[in-house]
Amino acid sequence: MEKTGIRIEDLHLSFGDTTVLAGINMEILPGEFFAFLGPSGSGKSTLLRAIAGFGPPPRGRILIGDRDIADLPPWKRNVGMVFQSYALWPHLSVRQNVAFGLEERRLPKRMIDPKVDAALELVGLLHLAERMPAQLSGGQQQRVALARTIAIEPQVLLLDEPLSNLDAALRVQMRRELLSLQRKLGLTTIFVTHDQEEANTTSDRMAILDGGVIQQIGTPQELYDTPANGFVAGFLGTANVLKGQVRDGHFETMGGSRLPLAHPRPGADRIVLRPQNVTLGPAGGEGIAGTVSHREFLGSSIRYLVDTADGQIIVDTLHSAGQPGQDRGAAVSLRVDSLNAPLLV
Amino acid sequence: MSDTLQPARPTGRFTLFPRLSGVALSGLAIAVFLMAFLILPVMQVIYVAFLDSRSGALTLQNFQDFFSTNLFRESFVNSFYVSAMSVVFATIIALPLAYITTRFTFAGAAIIQSLGFIPLIMPPFVGAVAMTLLFGRNGSLNLLLDQYFGVKIPFMEGLNGVIFVQSLHYFPFILINLSASLRNIDRSMEEAAQNLGASGLRLFRRIVFPLAMPGYLAGAALVFIKVFDDLGTPLLLNVNTMLAPQAYLRITGVGINDPMGYVISFILVAFSVFALWVSFLFMRGKDYATVQKGGGGLAKRDLSRREKAVAWGVILFILALVLSPHFGLLLLAFGTIWSFSPLPDGFTLQHFGTVFTQSSQYIWNTILYAGSAAVIDVILGTAIAYIVLRSGLVGRKWLDYMATAALAVPGVVLGIGYLRMFHGVELPFGLGQMSGFWGLIIVALAVRRLPYALRACMAALQQVALSLEEAAESLGATKSSTIRRIVVPLMTGGILAGFVTSFATAAVELSATIMLVGRSSDAPLAYGIYLFMQSPSGRGAGAALGILAVVIVAIGTYLSQRIIEKDRNRRAAAPGADH
């Protein structure tokens, strides 16, 4: 299958007076598994639906390969979309559901049947072809929805929160299946989710959206290690953001601590400290002095909330059986691995 | 890259609904139809009510004349009195039934449920004459009472008869609404009150009753207006001093130009609008659906032995009352001569023979009229539902409002409106006068039943998730292909239910029909029943026709219930456990 990239240029979209997407620009490479990640209301679903041709008409360009599809009705876009609710038609059998798109393309029946079989085979549901959707489990319904979309051999595949209706165990399994299927087909895929773990584990690259604006695009690790702004830093994982300034190769916090930097960035006024990069030591030691105000036992680690002159700092310490850890109210000092900590301007 | 960039397009070049023109065209056609056959005729009736019949100037003189005429004042008061008393008696019947089903575990609940629709499958005017034979001055019951106790009770004297027949027919509206309200009260509402120290009557008065009130009032308003507008029952009971019969008699007797018919029509419409508005307010503003997840209705308790006996007594008594028109009609249809005796002298099939040999046109006409009207209704209903719920057509809500406005238009008024509007309009192809053309009956029936069919279609379309349509479109189906292959098949249950309901109720409509029937060869069942019942010798055949009407409506009601149930089951089919 020919791999096709997607390019979105200066896309604006509003519902009445409310701006939902404001100047979206991005390029998705051929064969890439790309995630749109953001909180609810960030515009990620709206952007996906705009690519599929649903919702109010946007301003701007949406190119699939060299073809601008922004003006085309949904049925002429050849963009495969898997809906959050699966949207299986309850009055049609599994086979009829999957055959639908091929029939709409006026393919002769002798060509439709093998394609339907192949698509169902791919998702491992050929044996359920004559069932009605209501007779399938949630995971099976999801696979039928996928087969139905793949059957039309779309240029790109759009997945709208495809795993949100599955229970936790099944979600992890489907996530892996989805990814291996995508790799097998080499289909350029966009995946909308509000679950960062889902985005981190599956996507080649992702775009973080908030308030209808792209906050940052990159690989999951790039985004985690070098967030472009406080929103990205806080949205991906937990972050302690300390205010201060860069001076003499150090970050001087408002609270008066000096944290060494490997790559001082002039003009930066905030530093992002991940909880696992902070260690708890006995009071009076090296580092930021503080008092434990809260303690949460998480199993593999213990999370402490420590009040310091720089505000509350979250600290995760690995837990091994038998270690009591610190109690609430204990005076501690925090050692910070700050050398490669992201700086924000 | 920048050399390929084009200037940003203005918004709206590719609209949300690209086939707007097709949708707009259908919307326009429906709007024209509703204007021509609902809005304009009714507006004209109202307009004429304010017109001086000689000079053509606007005036309030007609209303002054109306209220200064004793007969009309009396009719007005009578209509009001009959409607109010019907509400009272309907409440007396419905209240214990609703209370028993919702508060107690009771084996007779199924009977109560049936009581909720048995009366509705027979239009009140059909059973009216049979009721006089059972409960009238010389009816079965009074003959027996007279013989054993020497008393007679005037159940059917004058207005009493109308109240009796109407409340027996319309109480299900209150029963259904009230039970639904009571069922919608979550157990936790009651338990919270008990937890805070309320119990017994106080609990009922402060929590249960206020929560159920909106449902009751909505049902009561509906009963009031149905009785207020009804023409058939008073006519058949020979009670002419009420508003609807007066309107009918003035227009058919004095003439199309007599302003009194229009004044009465205006009053009927005004009251209908008011009552519907009241009922709408109660349902909208205070729709206390409080049932929460895992909850489900008020706590039910078992009845003690004595209470059970009382409950059965009440239910069987009401059941007997409710079935009496049906029973009376059967006696009348199969009886030979029935006069001054508790039961007919003998039994015969002769009346059915008379109906089939001499009056089969009534049956065929009914099937033609009600069938065509129902087809028109589901087509319009589906189209309006789609336009309102799925298109961005400007003013689409007005299609809904216009179609629903038919609820507030009594049949008599619509009939008068058609007579006035199409009076003297000559149809081509030798079909004659438009006001006497049978096609107009179909249109009237379609317009009158449209609100119900529309609701059914709307509900059906609301069940179809938008993503089901979007999925089809993204797989390459155009709008029209999506409607044909996905939307309409998924709406089938609702559309069929709408068809059957429209058909069944149109089959026994009398009020608009009675004004529009040009000659007896064009008349449907309901009109045939009316004609037969005019003379004592025709009553048997009239009752036989009535039985046929009841059978048609009963089959229709049963079918629509089955269709709705099947549809619901198909949707709710549980997903399999394996994956």
Side-chain angles (χ1 to χ4, degrees), chain A residues 20-319:
Chain A
V20 186
L21 297 173
I24 301 287
N25 282 287
M26 68 168 76
E27 177 144 23
I28 295 159
L29 303 173
E32 206 171 21
F33 199 114
F34 196 93
F36 290 171
L37 180 64
S40 50
S42 61
K44 56 187 192 307
S45 269
T46 310
L47 179 55
L48 191 83
R49 289 169 57 78
I51 297 171
F54 300 120
R59 204 149 44 84
R61 305 218 302 166
I62 301 171
L63 292 126
I64 293 187
D66 307 325
R67 196 165 62 115
D68 183 354
I69 59 162
D71 269 354
L72 296 177
W75 52 91
K76 289 191 177 157
R77 295 192 177 203
N78 202 29
V79 160
M81 174 136 168
V82 176
F83 290 81
Q84 184 173 7
S85 57
Y86 317 138
L88 296 183
W89 302 301
H91 64 305
L92 302 181
S93 70
V94 168
R95 174 175 297 283
Q96 287 167 327
N97 262 281
V98 178
F100 183 92
L102 300 167
E103 288 163 6
E104 284 299 320
R105 282 167 172 69
R106 304 279 177 270
L107 255 63
K109 185 150 172 41
R110 63 187 160 74
M111 288 179 69
I112 291 179
D113 285 341
K115 279 175 189 282
V116 171
D117 288 350
L120 284 172
E121 183 79 68
L122 203 59
V123 298
L125 284 186
L126 190 51
H127 62 293
L128 299 181
E130 311 310 325
R131 293 262 186 104
M132 297 305 276
Q135 298 171 298
L136 303 180
S137 70
Q140 290 167 338
Q141 292 185 0
Q142 157 111 72
R143 278 173 239 217
V144 175
L146 202 58
R148 183 175 73 179
T149 311
I150 291 169
I152 62 163
E153 293 168 22
Q155 285 181 290
V156 300
L157 181 62
L158 308 180
L159 306 170
D160 188 4
E161 307 238 9
L163 305 175
S164 61
N165 282 335
L166 302 176
D167 59 49
L170 193 56
R171 200 176 303 164
V172 174
Q173 184 201 334
M174 274 310 290
R175 188 166 86 193
R176 290 177 187 148
E177 275 181 34
L178 212 55
L179 191 60
S180 70
L181 190 66
Q182 192 263 345
R183 295 283 184 245
K184 204 187 309 179
L185 298 172
L187 201 52
T188 310
T189 301
I190 303 178
F191 179 109
V192 162
T193 180
H194 61 267
D195 180 337
Q196 47 166 310
E197 186 189 315
E198 233 165 73
N200 282 335
T201 50
T202 49
S203 63
D204 296 313
R205 289 194 304 146
M206 57 189 186
I208 306 236
L209 280 101
D210 185 45
V213 176
I214 292 184
Q215 303 293 325
Q216 196 173 2
I217 298 177
T219 67
Q221 194 171 343
E222 278 168 6
L223 298 189
Y224 188 80
D225 290 348
T226 54
N229 55 39
F231 177 79
V232 176
F235 191 70
L236 282 184
T238 312
N240 298 298
V241 179
L242 271 53
K243 290 184 185 155
Q245 53 182 326
V246 175
R247 187 180 294 167
D248 307 334
H250 285 73
F251 188 85
E252 292 184 0
T253 67
M254 304 273 277
S257 299
R258 276 169 62 82
L259 308 172
L261 298 174
H263 312 283
R265 184 178 175 192
D269 61 355
R270 279 163 299 161
I271 188 166
V272 178
L273 302 177
R274 298 295 181 184
Q276 69 274 23
N277 296 338
V278 185
T279 32
L280 272 188
E286 195 187 329
I288 306 170
T291 314
V292 174
S293 68
H294 237 54
R295 169 197 155 106
E296 291 167 353
F297 181 70
L298 301 175
S300 61
S301 62
I302 300 176
R303 169 163 291 187
Y304 297 99
L305 270 55
V306 180
D307 290 335
T308 73
D310 283 302
Q312 195 166 62
I313 295 180
I314 301 168
V315 181
D316 286 350
T317 58
L318 280 178
H319 170 70

Side-chain angles (χ1 to χ4, degrees), chain A residues 49 60 89 103-105, chain B residues 9 468 470 475 481 485 579:
Chain A
R49 289 169 57 78
W89 302 301
E103 288 163 6
E104 284 299 320
R105 282 167 172 69
Chain B
R9 277 179 307 271
L468 294 179
E470 291 179 342
L475 291 173
S481 185
R485 296 189 62 187
H579 48 247

Side-chain angles (χ1 to χ4, degrees), chain B residues 118-164:
Chain B
I118 290 175
L120 296 179
I121 61 174
M122 185 164 87
F125 73 87
V126 174
V129 170
M131 292 290 276
T132 39
L133 290 172
L134 286 177
F135 297 103
R137 184 182 305 157
N138 297 312
S140 316
L141 183 64
N142 273 327
L143 287 179
L144 293 174
L145 284 176
D146 196 27
Q147 190 178 335
Y148 291 104
F149 304 102
V151 290
K152 285 190 174 189
I153 302 171
F155 296 107
M156 299 296 290
E157 298 302 303
L159 300 178
N160 289 357
V162 184
I163 294 170
F164 189 31

Side-chain angles (χ1 to χ4, degrees), chain B residues 12 24 74 76 128 204 217 298 323 352 356 358 378 386 393 400 405 419 476 486 510 514 554:
Chain B
E74 189 194 336
F76 183 83
F204 182 82
L217 287 174
L298 294 164
L323 286 177
F352 286 89
F356 282 115
Q358 293 170 25
V378 293
Y386 191 84
L393 196 63
D400 186 9
L419 288 182
I486 304 297
L510 182 60
I514 200 173

